Amino acid sequence: MSREIDRRAARTRKALHQALLTLMLRKGYEALSVQDIIDEADVGRSTFYAHYTGKEDLLRRGFQMLREELKEAQSTARAGAKASHDDPLGFSTAMFEHAARYADHYRTMIGGRGGAVTENEIRLILSEMVRQDLSSSLHDDTIPRDFVVQFIVSAFLTALNWWFERKPKLSPSQVDAMFRSLVLDGLSPLMGDESRSSAD
């Protein structure tokens, strides 16, 4: 019985998340109400509030899927024959590809309250991923590790926003290559030469 309840709850959460994404494209995040979302998902108000405290909570918790996708992509990359285990930017390719797949949603959320929530959640996820990668690749503690993490994450978000606003026709791999080139050059004094060359 509990498994059936779990499956039903998972279906409800998925329906609500999909409704949010659909409505964001149609109306924009700022204009959405919880009533809009539950109408689109065909879910009762009490059911919605059994899972989420509001639309911001729904948006924020949707990023759990992004975290899982990025972790899986990292594992896949590390399992590859040419993958470097000393790459502090192991997340970047998967993240740019994810952004390309959901480009319309990212553009909708950039700016306004939705943008603030989105950027904060992405920043938390990326900080976690970068911190994990740096544990094996950073050999020099001259610069505090937390500062290095925030430098990489901020550079990524700058690249992401620039891509959407200025050069949307570039492919994810092109933007990723530019991002990696600039950031890895900056990190190279803190990493061994072997690590720098293997990440190219």
Side-chain angles (χ1 to χ4, degrees):
M1 185 66 177
S2 61
R3 287 185 179 179
E4 178 57 34
I5 293 173
D6 289 343
R7 284 196 292 268
R8 190 181 310 133
R11 286 196 298 270
T12 298
R13 288 192 291 267
K14 184 176 181 180
L16 288 167
H17 183 65
Q18 187 56 51
L20 174 66
L21 295 178
T22 299
L23 289 168
M24 281 171 56
L25 294 180
R26 191 183 306 159
K27 300 179 65 171
Y29 176 82
E30 297 297 330
L32 289 182
S33 66
V34 168
Q35 190 63 51
D36 292 328
I37 296 168
I38 63 177
D39 287 346
E40 180 73 20
D42 194 20
V43 168
R45 180 172 286 270
S46 60
T47 300
F48 177 91
Y49 283 110
H51 294 279
Y52 306 104
T53 60
K55 70 172 187 177
E56 203 169 285
D57 185 35
L58 173 61
L59 175 64
R60 182 177 288 109
R61 286 168 63 183
F63 282 94
Q64 180 61 34
M65 289 185 291
L66 172 59
R67 178 181 280 106
E68 292 169 0
E69 183 175 330
L70 287 174
K71 285 186 176 180
E72 184 177 344
Q74 272 189 324
S75 298
T76 301
R78 285 176 172 172
K82 296 182 179 179
S84 168
H85 288 261
D86 296 321
D87 182 3
L89 307 181
F91 72 92
S92 67
T93 301
M95 187 66 207
F96 280 121
E97 288 173 351
H98 182 277
R101 284 196 300 276
Y102 296 97
D104 290 339
H105 296 109
Y106 276 89
R107 289 192 185 97
T108 299
M109 291 186 291
I110 289 174
R113 181 59 185 156
V117 173
T118 299
E119 182 170 325
N120 184 60
E121 289 303 309
I122 292 176
R123 186 177 290 276
L124 289 173
I125 293 169
L126 296 184
S127 295
E128 176 186 325
M129 307 294 283
V130 173
R131 194 171 287 110
Q132 180 181 347
D133 284 334
L134 285 178
S135 64
S136 62
S137 61
L138 207 61
H139 308 305
D140 187 332
D141 291 327
T142 305
I143 299 176
R145 188 161 298 221
D146 188 59
F147 178 80
V148 177
V149 170
Q150 295 309 313
F151 168 80
I152 294 172
V153 171
S154 295
F156 178 88
L157 290 172
T158 297
L160 184 67
N161 288 332
W162 173 84
W163 179 28
F164 284 148
E165 294 174 5
R166 303 290 183 86
K167 297 289 184 180
K169 292 184 178 180
L170 290 177
S171 69
S173 61
Q174 288 175 307
V175 181
D176 186 43
M178 290 188 288
F179 166 74
R180 293 174 69 85
S181 176
L182 288 172
V183 175
L184 285 172
D185 281 344
L187 292 178
S188 59
L190 306 178
M191 302 167 62
D193 292 337
E194 183 179 342
S195 297
R196 175 65 180 89
S197 60
S198 65
D200 286 338

